[in-house]
Amino acid sequence: MCIFVPLTNGKIYLVPTPIGNLEDITLRALNILSKVKMIFAEDTRITIKLLNHYKIDKPLKSLHAHNEHKMIKDILEKVQMGATIAYCSDAGTPGISDPGYLLVREAIKSRIPVETLPGATAFVPALVNSGIPCDRFVFEGFLPAKKGRKKRLKQMAEEERTTIFYESPHRLIKTLEELHQLVGPDRQICIAKELTKMHETIFRGKLGALLQDLSKKSIKGEFVVVLQSNDTKFIQDTFSKGS
């Protein structure tokens, strides 16, 4: 048993931010953002809109995949001196298909306390709204663009739990075609587009039918895909395709 004893009064807060609708931020998150000494963000241009909306004026610096090794050292030094720091990714919870993991890992190594606030993330509402069983599921994040992609898709096709993953608009149809080759047309699927935003749309139905329908449409936005497991048994007419 390892007992964590912090070496500083400083702290790092991981603060989830809305995935679209700015009203989805929690009161606690706003309170933390208002009280910390400094805020780090994956993209300051996005986070500043949130801060301005809620009239929060704090020093704001970037921490993203291209500078995290350099910036993490600076952050840890500030916290070791007693500073309180908040980190936000572009949207959702830091570390979930976003930067944040390395910051947490290095903070733990340095015995710096990290507190993660609960809050917005895209895959949970997509899963719950899918109508596909959500008692057992696996989250795949973004699929590889090239190396390891076929292996990952095959694993998903054989997965005995509901599978959730994110997909970009320019690869959505290709991914559905690849899945169609592996699992056939009858596997149930749910595709959630632009969750919490003005053009939120939910497509539900059999893979073959949705692929045929979406192939005729202009594909734009951000997508969360929920795929029925390989062994799920439930009434097929639970689903009615629509938005």
Side-chain angles (χ1 to χ4, degrees):
M1 179 178 178
C2 179
I3 299 176
F4 182 86
V5 180
L7 296 180
T8 174
N9 291 325
K11 181 180 284 191
I12 296 172
Y13 292 93
L14 300 185
V15 181
T17 53
I19 59 175
N21 192 321
L22 294 182
E23 294 181 0
D24 287 337
I25 196 163
T26 67
L27 294 175
R28 185 180 172 209
L30 292 176
N31 183 48
I32 292 296
L33 292 174
S34 298
K35 289 183 176 181
V36 294
K37 184 175 182 178
M38 182 176 293
I39 300 171
F40 285 81
E42 181 182 4
D43 189 334
T44 56
R45 296 168 298 179
I46 293 175
T47 303
I48 194 64
K49 296 177 182 179
L50 175 71
L51 300 179
N52 288 341
H53 181 81
Y54 287 104
K55 297 179 172 57
I56 297 172
D57 184 15
K58 291 288 178 178
L60 182 63
K61 289 189 176 183
S62 63
L63 171 65
H64 48 70
H66 301 293
N67 74 349
E68 59 185 346
H69 289 281
K70 177 182 176 181
M71 293 302 298
I72 284 174
K73 181 180 178 181
D74 183 50
I75 293 173
L76 298 184
E77 288 177 352
K78 285 180 168 59
V79 178
Q80 286 168 337
M81 294 176 65
T84 52
I85 300 294
Y87 176 65
C88 309
S89 57
D90 284 354
T93 301
I96 305 296
S97 293
D98 282 311
Y101 159 71
L102 285 180
L103 176 60
V104 174
R105 186 187 70 181
E106 296 306 312
I108 292 171
K109 286 181 181 179
S110 300
R111 293 169 66 181
I112 289 174
V114 178
E115 189 167 337
T116 303
L117 279 61
T121 187
F123 77 82
V124 173
L127 171 63
V128 174
N129 201 12
S130 70
I132 296 173
C134 50
D135 54 333
R136 298 174 68 242
F137 62 89
V138 56
F139 174 62
E140 290 287 341
F142 286 97
L143 302 180
K146 295 181 180 180
K147 185 177 181 180
R149 181 178 176 85
K150 289 184 178 180
K151 180 179 179 181
R152 183 80 65 85
L153 286 166
K154 184 177 180 181
Q155 290 172 339
M156 289 166 49
E158 297 172 354
E159 176 60 56
E160 295 185 354
R161 296 164 292 182
T162 297
T163 299
I164 315 153
F165 62 94
Y166 296 153
E167 192 53 278
S168 62
H170 66 275
R171 277 203 298 265
L172 179 65
I173 297 301
K174 175 186 175 182
T175 300
L176 295 180
E177 289 173 343
E178 291 172 324
L179 284 173
H180 185 271
Q181 293 175 359
L182 290 168
V183 307
D186 295 328
R187 187 80 67 92
Q188 295 286 351
I189 197 168
C190 173
I191 302 171
K193 171 186 174 183
E194 294 287 276
L195 285 170
T196 80
K197 300 177 184 178
M198 183 181 299
H199 299 291
E200 175 178 322
T201 310
I202 308 295
F203 303 94
R204 305 181 186 90
K206 293 182 178 181
L207 176 55
L210 281 189
L211 174 58
Q212 185 176 16
D213 184 33
L214 291 173
S215 296
K216 303 174 184 177
K217 299 180 182 294
S218 175
I219 304 298
K220 297 179 181 179
E222 299 175 337
F223 295 87
V224 185
V225 182
V226 184
L227 178 68
Q228 176 193 351
S229 70
N230 190 35
D231 70 341
T232 297
K233 305 294 183 183
F234 65 98
I235 301 174
Q236 296 297 318
D237 64 6
T238 297
F239 282 79
S240 60
K241 186 181 71 173
S243 60

